[in-house]
Amino acid sequence: MIKTFDDLIKAARRAGPKTVAVAAAQDRDVLMAVDNAYKYGIINPVLIGKRDDIEAIARDISVDLSGWQVIDTADKIEACRKAVELVATGRAALPMKGFVDTSVILKAILDKEIGLMTGRLLSHVGVLAVPGYDRLFVQSDAAMNISPSVEDKVHIINNAVEVAHALGNDMPKVAVICAVEKVNPKMPATVDAQQLVRMNEQGLIKGCIVGGPFALDNAVSVEAAMHKGINHPVAGRADVLITPDIESGNILNKAMEYFGRADKAGIIMGASAPIVLTSRASSDRSKLNSIALAVTVAGK
Amino acid sequence: MIKTFDDLIKAARRAGPKTVAVAAAQDRDVLMAVDNAYKYGIINPVLIGKRDDIEAIARDISVDLSGWQVIDTADKIEACRKAVELVATGRAALPMKGFVDTSVILKAILDKEIGLMTGRLLSHVGVLAVPGYDRLFVQSDAAMNISPSVEDKVHIINNAVEVAHALGNDMPKVAVICAVEKVNPKMPATVDAQQLVRMNEQGLIKGCIVGGPFALDNAVSVEAAMHKGINHPVAGRADVLITPDIESGNILNKAMEYFGRADKAGIIMGASAPIVLTSRASSDRSKLNSIALAVTVAGK
């Protein structure tokens, strides 16, 4: 089982190099991240966007484009559609967002003709290494679904579990996190949690053990779970942390990073290939982690 | 300004000892916490509950009751009502929950005849010291209000700001945390955040600077805020973290504790006195911190 980002990068090197279609590659940060992943032997990039701009930036930051394919496109919409088309037709393994708004690449991915959708829901899946914990946490959804229904949460769990499987965890422990451990009709998140646990028991959510509702402490601390008298295989031992909505998911992700000093990765799951959507504010290490995660997931 | 829990305990010693009415004191953990705070010179306890049980437990754990008042009551409901009455009539400075369900003591506090309500909303206010940060964070609401309206959030901010003032911060920076920095009508938390900022600008929320919506990183990291180009006095420098609902508040509080290894305190604000509501799972240090926080707030 992959328990550190160093191990994840090794796994990505074994699974790779994968061809990555970079939509709107005319950006310094994007080209540096791509070049870094290329040098690690994780990816072979196809750069899509304004050729002149890509070449000028590459010269400027001493990135050698000579071995890479560059596809010239008129605008960012076309660049996104081209990147998605390369993946849809098998000429690239996965798409990566470059210097373009998230909404533009998502529109191409969701496009019914060229797109990559297969009836699942797109969700953000984070992977975080918090110092002092013996495992990588898979966390979702921090970025895509504002107020998911219980049906949406089934997709969110399935997408997160697929990532856990790719990390070598065949039967991840999934905690549905709420504010409390008791089901309370006044707190819809707890009712959803109960229903998700039942669906797992009935075999409608497979490949994992779902527990909840849990407060966060009872999901990640065996001692806290024991204190509360919670006796469940997931209690205190969760690998996957599912939050009720975008606020709680985003806050958990960033609390792990900024207060827990976690190293992290993030990808979008739910399409026919994982999508790399690194943000400008991410560290170089975090961008490499995200590309390595996508390549490892795509390799399964 | 108080920046550590050691300083908070010193402040509580200066403000104290305060008389604390302990409702349903017949509990080992409660008596140990009370005895500890008494030995620090922070409180003078009045123990309310089953006298026989209190005395038996005190003997068992070698707590000397000789200097303390013990009020014998028939049941826990009466113990809670008596504790509240002592505070309402000025014979105690603040109430503390003992071995009784939170709902029972809250019912006594909310009781119109004997109670402690003054037209404000009750909310949980946490104070957390995360290693590596130069200040105590005030955080709310992790426990009381499930899905607060924007009017409720005004009370939640006021209660948290009162705590920040008691910590010696005359003009705390209040961040209204959401998943994103942009106001988006599809994300009601961001619309509330915008309204709260306006109310602060109009002088309807006083004694603080309110900023938002912020994602958590832009509230607590100057570097992250700069990366996003956010130029606001609260950005990256928040003292007070206000979350949209009980799930996000509880998750943030516990992420700071379990992932950020924060030392913490928590009290209920909004009544005519702060209420100590330590949970059984809290550490001895956290219980002492919470009592010290309540005494310091009551001393202002």
Side-chain angles (χ1 to χ4, degrees):
Chain A
M1 201 186 305
I2 296 169
K3 293 187 172 187
T4 67
F5 279 111
D6 285 342
D7 284 349
L8 178 64
I9 287 164
K10 282 180 202 156
R13 290 170 72 121
R14 283 194 300 273
K18 297 272 180 203
T19 304
V20 173
V22 185
Q26 58 271 30
D27 179 73
R28 187 189 159 89
D29 286 354
V30 169
L31 283 183
M32 284 175 74
V34 164
D35 189 48
N36 194 25
Y38 171 77
K39 285 175 176 158
Y40 269 89
I42 294 173
I43 65 168
N44 285 321
V46 177
L47 304 181
I48 305 155
K50 295 228 178 205
R51 181 189 296 273
D52 293 349
D53 293 355
I54 292 170
E55 288 177 351
I57 296 165
R59 264 194 307 277
D60 198 38
I61 58 174
S62 304
V63 166
D64 177 9
L65 298 180
S66 59
W68 301 355
Q69 191 184 353
V70 179
I71 299 175
D72 193 32
T73 55
D75 60 30
K76 291 180 181 179
I77 294 174
E78 196 194 326
C80 289
R81 290 178 65 88
K82 187 72 195 170
V84 168
E85 190 198 311
L86 289 182
V87 177
T89 55
R91 285 175 288 163
L94 56 100
M96 174 171 168
K97 180 178 96 88
F99 186 50
V100 57
D101 283 347
T102 300
S103 60
V104 177
I105 189 164
L106 288 181
K107 198 171 171 202
I109 285 161
L110 294 166
D111 184 288
K112 288 213 174 94
E113 266 180 56
I114 59 154
L116 302 176
M117 295 312 296
T118 59
R120 290 155 65 193
L121 182 76
L122 294 182
S123 58
H124 181 271
V125 181
V127 173
L128 298 104
V130 182
Y133 286 81
D134 64 354
R135 57 201 186 272
L136 292 172
F137 288 107
V138 177
Q139 185 265 331
S140 190
D141 172 356
M144 294 286 294
N145 297 287
I146 294 174
S147 185
S149 67
V150 69
E151 291 77 17
D152 294 340
K153 289 177 185 175
V154 173
H155 286 288
I156 288 170
I157 291 175
N158 285 338
N159 288 345
V161 165
E162 190 179 334
V163 170
H165 287 171
L167 296 174
N169 187 345
D170 293 335
M171 191 54 71
K173 297 183 177 73
V174 178
V176 184
I177 310 290
C178 298
V180 293
E181 302 77 36
K182 270 191 200 163
V183 177
N184 176 349
K186 288 183 187 156
M187 302 170 91
T190 64
V191 178
D192 282 5
Q194 185 183 42
Q195 200 173 334
L196 293 165
V197 169
R198 283 202 190 130
M199 290 173 83
N200 177 243
E201 288 165 357
Q202 292 163 355
L204 301 171
I205 300 173
K206 294 188 215 306
C208 59
I209 309 170
V210 180
F214 291 119
L216 180 63
D217 52 341
N218 306 314
V220 302
S221 160
V222 171
E223 200 186 348
M226 280 172 58
H227 240 299
K228 277 268 181 182
I230 301 170
N231 187 17
H232 187 280
V234 175
R237 297 190 164 84
D239 304 300
V240 178
L241 307 174
I242 300 295
T243 39
D245 56 21
I246 197 167
E247 281 86 17
S248 52
N250 197 272
I251 287 169
L252 176 57
N253 187 287
K254 285 168 176 164
M256 292 172 86
E257 181 178 5
Y258 284 85
F259 294 132
R261 299 171 191 285
D263 204 1
K264 74 176 189 177
I267 54 176
I268 306 296
M269 293 288 293
S272 59
I275 303 158
V276 180
L277 248 177
T278 60
S279 88
R280 192 169 287 264
S282 303
S283 67
D284 292 344
R285 175 68 196 215
S286 164
K287 286 172 186 157
L288 180 65
N289 290 342
S290 297
I291 295 170
L293 180 62
V295 165
T296 304
V297 170
K300 294 286 154 174
Chain B
M1 200 186 306
I2 296 169
K3 293 188 173 185
T4 67
F5 279 111
D6 286 341
D7 285 348
L8 177 64
I9 287 164
K10 282 179 203 157
R13 291 171 72 122
R14 283 194 301 272
K18 298 272 179 203
T19 303
V20 173
V22 185
Q26 56 272 28
D27 179 72
R28 186 189 159 89
D29 286 354
V30 169
L31 283 182
M32 285 175 74
V34 164
D35 189 48
N36 193 25
Y38 171 76
K39 285 176 177 159
Y40 269 90
I42 295 173
I43 65 168
N44 284 322
V46 178
L47 305 181
I48 305 156
K50 295 230 178 206
R51 182 190 295 274
D52 292 350
D53 293 356
I54 292 171
E55 288 177 351
I57 295 165
R59 265 195 305 278
D60 198 37
I61 59 174
S62 304
V63 167
D64 177 10
L65 298 181
S66 57
W68 301 355
Q69 191 184 353
V70 179
I71 299 176
D72 193 30
T73 54
D75 60 30
K76 291 180 181 180
I77 293 173
E78 196 194 327
C80 289
R81 291 178 64 87
K82 187 71 194 169
V84 168
E85 190 198 312
L86 290 182
V87 177
T89 56
R91 286 175 287 163
L94 56 101
M96 173 171 169
K97 181 179 95 89
F99 186 51
V100 55
D101 282 348
T102 300
S103 60
V104 177
I105 188 163
L106 288 181
K107 199 172 170 201
I109 284 161
L110 294 166
D111 184 289
K112 289 214 175 93
E113 267 180 54
I114 58 157
L116 301 177
M117 296 311 297
T118 59
R120 290 156 64 195
L121 181 77
L122 294 182
S123 58
H124 181 271
V125 180
V127 173
L128 298 105
V130 182
Y133 285 82
D134 63 354
R135 58 201 184 272
L136 292 172
F137 287 108
V138 177
Q139 185 265 331
S140 191
D141 174 354
M144 294 286 294
N145 297 285
I146 295 173
S147 185
S149 67
V150 70
E151 291 78 16
D152 294 340
K153 289 177 187 177
V154 173
H155 286 287
I156 288 171
I157 291 175
N158 286 337
N159 288 344
V161 165
E162 190 179 335
V163 170
H165 288 173
L167 296 174
N169 187 345
D170 294 334
M171 192 53 72
K173 297 182 178 76
V174 177
V176 185
I177 311 290
C178 298
V180 293
E181 302 78 34
K182 270 192 200 162
V183 177
N184 176 350
K186 288 183 187 156
M187 302 171 91
T190 64
V191 178
D192 282 5
Q194 185 183 43
Q195 201 172 334
L196 293 165
V197 169
R198 284 202 189 131
M199 292 174 82
N200 177 243
E201 287 165 357
Q202 291 164 356
L204 301 170
I205 300 174
K206 293 188 216 305
C208 60
I209 309 170
V210 180
F214 290 119
L216 180 62
D217 51 341
N218 306 314
V220 302
S221 160
V222 172
E223 200 186 348
M226 280 172 58
H227 240 298
K228 277 268 182 179
I230 302 170
N231 186 18
H232 187 281
V234 175
R237 296 189 163 85
D239 304 298
V240 178
L241 306 174
I242 300 296
T243 39
D245 57 21
I246 198 167
E247 281 85 17
S248 52
N250 197 273
I251 287 170
L252 176 58
N253 187 288
K254 285 168 176 165
M256 291 171 87
E257 181 178 5
Y258 284 85
F259 294 132
R261 299 172 190 284
D263 204 1
K264 75 177 190 177
I267 56 177
I268 306 295
M269 293 290 292
S272 59
I275 303 158
V276 180
L277 249 175
T278 60
S279 89
R280 192 168 286 263
S282 303
S283 67
D284 293 342
R285 175 69 197 215
S286 164
K287 285 171 187 156
L288 180 66
N289 290 342
S290 296
I291 295 170
L293 180 62
V295 165
T296 303
V297 171
K300 292 286 156 176

